[in-house]
Amino acid sequence: MDAILEYIPKELITTLVTIAVVVGVTLGVISYLILLERKLSAWMQDRRGPNRVGPMGIFQPLADGAKFLLKEEVTPAGADKVLFYAAPGIGFMTTMLAFSVVPFGPVGVEGIPWFVRFLIAPDVNIGIVFIFAITSLSVYGVILGGWASNNKYSALGSLRASAQVISYEIPLGMSILGIALLGSTLDINTLLMQQTGSFWDWYFWTQPLACLIFFTSALAEANRLPFDLSECEQELVGGFHTEYSSMKFALFFLGEYAHVILTSFLTSILFFGGWHFPWIATPESAYTGAWVVKIGVLLFKVGMVIVFIMLLRWTIPRFRFDQLMNLSWKALIPLSLANMVAVMTVLQFGWDRWWLTPISLGLFAVAGLISVAMKRAEIRHRPSAAELAHQFAT
Amino acid sequence: MAVAKDDVMWIEEPEMGFWEMTFLPAILDGLKTTIRHVTHYDPVTQQYPEEKPSLPLHYRGVHRLNRDEKGRVKCVACMLCATACPADCISIEASAAPPDWPDRDKFPATFVLDELRCIYCGMCEEACPVDAIELTHIYDLTGETRESMRFDREKLLAVYDKTKDDPRDPLRTRRGKLGPAADFGTLPTVAPATQVTAGDRSAQSTAPGTIHTYNNPRPFDDPGGAT
């Protein structure tokens, strides 16, 4: 055994093990996140949620999986078979690929067994760029799936969905640029380590506006409510996945959930200090099993973000398509640009970076004031109710 | 002109303030509502097969044919229920009563009630002069064939045997004994399925309880002259 091991580099083994664990755990977690979401949704609506399969419905994901596997697969006549089959895979795979640069726990800490590693691809110093490049490819899954279905509704739905995803890619990327400038790196793990000094080193405190923009656009990227315009059940039968059935349909949703998990990881790592928590998990904490606690802290933060996303789902009403586009192009993109300019200014003139907090809040206030002024102007130029009544009467 | 001018009301749109425009307070407010539903979780869902609903006493479920104190079928085959039935689901074949049944002339040789056709309105129960047919609390009735849902006399009597001791299924219109329909007007009903007041349309009708159906247009005397 040892003789064989000598010829196989240890790195290869750890990488393969990590990939297997990450893919397996992510898929398992996704199926139970769907159960959690269904339960939470039920509680928020004073229902009971799934409770028939096993105690408290804990075997519901298995039943769902079995159902998806056993259902009939329908391929519409006239569909482009190759693209039709490839689209769900593209959507799912691109999202899973992004996990290769996300640190799932403390990297490079003493006391971890050699076969445990929390990063599939270490030392990728353009981690953020890699994630955005890869996840933006997932729009191909949407648009190819919609087009290959040979269905007008699917094609319309996929056009709309891709317009949404592409629009929100811009604020998503630009909101992160501020942090990349502050940390002068694009490596996710380095950005994480920069926040482990103290509680006030978390980037959320200096970049609250960027956090809001990033979270909003990431929701839109993952097609989560209130931005689930790509999944237009009400208007276009079902959007781009109208013609998909059984496991191909399930793959689209696995992809969406993987995206939610990825978003939560990125939010907690980039803005909320990753595995760092004062007194409990710091780089200095050397007690036994500290690395397990650090994973726990990170997963706790990720879980909180996921639950928050689920809460938002039943809190905010869905956007109309023009409102969705207005939010991205008229609010988020200018705001993220201004935020980036503010970070550049602070860095260029060597000011204290705590100035960024009031600047962020000020930018937010200015945006609010501008929209109030614009709405007032619009109202002023609109005929008043009395004038309309007069027009109508004559 | 689609809308009358007087019917149109013009409303000024309320002006939005700064905080309203940022939508953040509204989102926080909404989150508070959402979270309150999770923390004060109070579902009203009934877990049906485990928790049975407690139905009101006047619930109208599957029919039964009552027995008299000697265990014979109470029905005297007068056809009033079949006549009153708006769904035409009762078919009775009357024959002369056995000689040792001195209290009546006829009894139902066959009595078939189609439970699939029935609309559970309770008119048969109201019409019956001898309290023979009644609706019980059984609501979860299923069958594998249409034929099995056509309840004959024995099956309806079996329903009576099954439900007679259930406190939810008392003899609703107990008049004590099997008797002629002559005392129908004098004896008060104990617990009628539905109350009929003098103001009701059915009470004012010239031919109460007689319904002219589309499928079975039986001519009847109509003093109102709707011929």
Side-chain angles (χ1 to χ4, degrees):
Chain A
M1 187 67 195
D2 285 341
I4 302 170
L5 271 179
E6 258 176 50
Y7 291 103
I8 304 169
K10 267 186 180 177
E11 285 292 303
L12 186 65
I13 300 175
T14 50
T15 307
L16 288 178
V17 166
T18 319
I19 290 174
V21 168
V22 166
V23 171
V25 169
T26 311
L27 289 181
V29 164
I30 285 173
S31 57
Y32 274 89
L33 273 184
I34 292 175
L35 178 65
L36 174 72
E37 165 142 39
R38 289 173 68 180
K39 276 282 184 193
L40 261 180
S41 309
W43 294 337
M44 280 177 239
Q45 297 169 351
D46 293 333
R47 294 183 287 116
R48 286 187 193 257
N51 62 351
R52 290 284 139 184
V53 197
M56 293 285 287
I58 54 167
F59 298 128
Q60 184 71 39
L62 303 181
D64 285 345
K67 192 194 87 171
F68 271 126
L69 283 173
L70 294 176
K71 274 211 150 186
E72 185 190 359
E73 287 214 29
V74 181
T75 309
D80 188 318
K81 287 235 168 50
V82 178
L83 293 182
F84 187 74
Y85 278 80
I90 294 173
F92 180 66
M93 229 165 57
T94 48
T95 313
M96 288 305 285
L97 266 178
F99 278 101
S100 58
V101 292
V102 175
F104 294 94
V107 178
V109 179
E110 295 292 314
I112 303 174
W114 65 271
F115 52 86
V116 177
R117 205 170 69 195
F118 297 110
L119 198 53
I120 295 174
D123 307 327
V124 178
N125 53 11
I126 50 159
I128 293 176
V129 176
F130 177 78
I131 285 180
F132 290 150
I134 285 293
T135 52
S136 60
L137 284 182
S138 71
V139 75
Y140 277 100
V142 171
I143 198 158
L144 288 180
W147 181 77
S149 301
N150 191 27
N151 178 332
K152 294 185 192 73
Y153 294 106
S154 297
L156 276 175
S158 69
L159 277 180
R160 248 171 56 150
S162 48
Q164 170 193 334
V165 172
I166 290 170
S167 303
Y168 276 88
E169 211 117 271
I170 303 166
L172 185 75
M174 287 209 296
S175 58
I176 288 302
L177 272 185
I179 286 185
L181 284 172
L182 283 176
S184 60
T185 179
L186 286 165
D187 182 18
I188 295 178
N189 195 45
T190 317
L191 284 173
L192 194 161
M193 293 306 288
Q194 285 166 354
Q195 301 172 67
T196 54
S198 79
F199 182 62
W200 302 106
D201 279 348
W202 292 6
Y203 278 127
F204 175 75
W205 302 117
T206 43
Q207 293 279 286
L209 184 63
C211 182
L212 186 69
I213 295 169
F214 175 79
F215 188 70
T216 313
S217 1
L219 276 187
E221 279 281 296
N223 299 328
R224 287 290 304 184
L225 280 123
F227 303 105
D228 71 328
L229 271 284
S230 60
E231 195 188 310
C232 27
E233 276 143 3
Q234 294 93 329
E235 317 96 271
L236 292 170
V237 193
F240 64 94
H241 55 61
T242 306
E243 297 288 355
Y244 280 89
S245 51
S246 89
M247 209 56 209
K248 294 205 291 291
F249 174 78
L251 263 185
F252 274 126
F253 277 83
L254 286 181
E256 183 188 316
Y257 259 89
H259 217 130
V260 169
I261 297 178
L262 182 70
T263 300
S264 310
F265 261 109
L266 285 181
T267 311
S268 37
I269 288 174
L270 293 176
F271 291 98
F272 294 99
W275 47 260
H276 172 260
F277 201 85
W279 304 297
I280 299 171
T282 58
E284 291 83 40
S285 53
Y287 52 89
T288 333
W291 60 280
V292 180
V293 173
K294 284 173 184 173
I295 302 172
V297 168
L298 177 60
L299 292 185
F300 174 75
K301 284 176 185 172
V302 171
M304 292 314 286
V305 178
I306 291 177
V307 168
F308 183 64
I309 290 176
M310 288 173 183
L311 280 174
L312 276 184
R313 172 174 183 174
W314 298 111
T315 299
I316 308 176
R318 200 162 171 262
F319 280 78
R320 228 189 308 134
F321 196 68
D322 60 320
Q323 292 169 336
L324 179 93
M325 282 300 180
N326 277 348
L327 180 69
S328 173
W329 291 96
K330 291 188 184 167
L332 294 185
I333 292 179
L335 269 180
S336 56
L337 257 177
N339 181 60
M340 203 173 76
V341 171
V343 173
M344 285 172 169
T345 315
V346 166
L347 287 178
Q348 176 66 32
F349 296 107
W351 298 344
D352 193 285
R353 60 176 56 182
W354 279 107
W355 279 108
L356 283 170
T357 314
I359 290 175
S360 283
L361 299 178
L363 282 176
F364 186 79
V366 167
L369 286 173
I370 288 175
S371 52
V372 170
M374 280 172 69
K375 188 78 188 175
R376 292 244 167 92
E378 190 196 325
I379 289 171
R380 208 175 309 122
H381 289 102
R382 201 161 49 186
S384 71
E387 285 166 5
L388 279 172
H390 181 71
Q391 278 174 20
F392 188 69
T394 51
Chain B
M1 182 96 182
V3 185
K5 281 175 193 172
D6 295 342
D7 291 343
V8 180
M9 192 162 65
W10 293 91
I11 295 169
E12 293 279 0
E13 200 176 304
E15 215 165 282
M16 285 169 97
F18 169 74
W19 285 112
E20 226 177 333
M21 214 58 155
T22 59
F23 292 103
L24 282 188
I27 289 175
L28 289 180
D29 232 32
L31 275 176
K32 229 162 53 193
T33 308
T34 324
I35 291 169
R36 197 177 58 236
H37 275 271
V38 176
T39 52
H40 296 71
Y41 172 60
D42 182 25
V44 292
T45 322
Q46 204 168 33
Q47 300 291 299
Y48 166 61
E50 291 94 23
E51 293 171 28
K52 302 274 185 186
S54 68
L55 298 169
L57 262 184
H58 58 263
Y59 185 83
R60 302 192 295 259
V62 175
H63 312 72
R64 70 181 181 194
L65 269 182
N66 290 347
R67 295 179 190 271
D68 65 5
E69 61 276 9
K70 288 178 194 156
R72 305 172 305 181
V73 60
K74 260 188 179 178
C75 176
V76 294
C78 68
M79 306 285 180
L80 277 179
C81 54
T83 312
C85 180
D88 253 349
C89 66
I90 306 174
S91 42
I92 306 169
E93 266 175 41
S95 74
D100 53 332
W101 292 18
D103 53 349
R104 63 179 99 171
D105 297 333
K106 295 191 291 176
F107 92 115
T110 63
F111 189 110
V112 180
L113 203 153
D114 192 341
E115 299 283 351
L116 290 179
R117 218 170 152 175
C118 177
I119 59 168
Y120 300 94
C121 63
M123 297 280 272
C124 48
E125 189 177 352
E126 296 265 327
C128 186
V130 293
D131 308 335
I133 189 164
E134 277 182 347
L135 277 73
T136 65
H137 268 82
I138 301 175
Y139 53 87
D140 46 356
L141 177 70
T142 53
E144 288 175 2
T145 58
R146 285 173 192 277
E147 205 44 53
S148 71
M149 299 295 277
R150 288 169 58 83
F151 279 26
D152 61 3
R153 194 185 68 189
E154 298 313 312
K155 216 164 170 183
L156 289 165
L157 284 170
V159 176
Y160 170 75
D161 293 337
K162 208 167 79 183
T163 57
K164 64 179 176 188
D165 297 325
D166 194 317
R168 291 175 308 172
D169 286 316
L171 284 174
R172 294 178 196 227
T173 49
R174 193 197 306 268
R175 287 194 196 97
K177 61 182 201 307
L178 187 68
D183 59 359
F184 184 60
T186 56
L187 285 170
T189 49
V190 175
T194 50
Q195 286 285 352
V196 178
T197 61
D200 284 353
R201 206 157 51 94
S202 61
Q204 291 168 346
S205 166
T206 46
T210 314
I211 293 166
H212 190 89
T213 61
Y214 180 78
N215 278 337
N216 190 11
R218 277 170 290 201
F220 57 88
D221 296 329
D222 189 2
T227 44

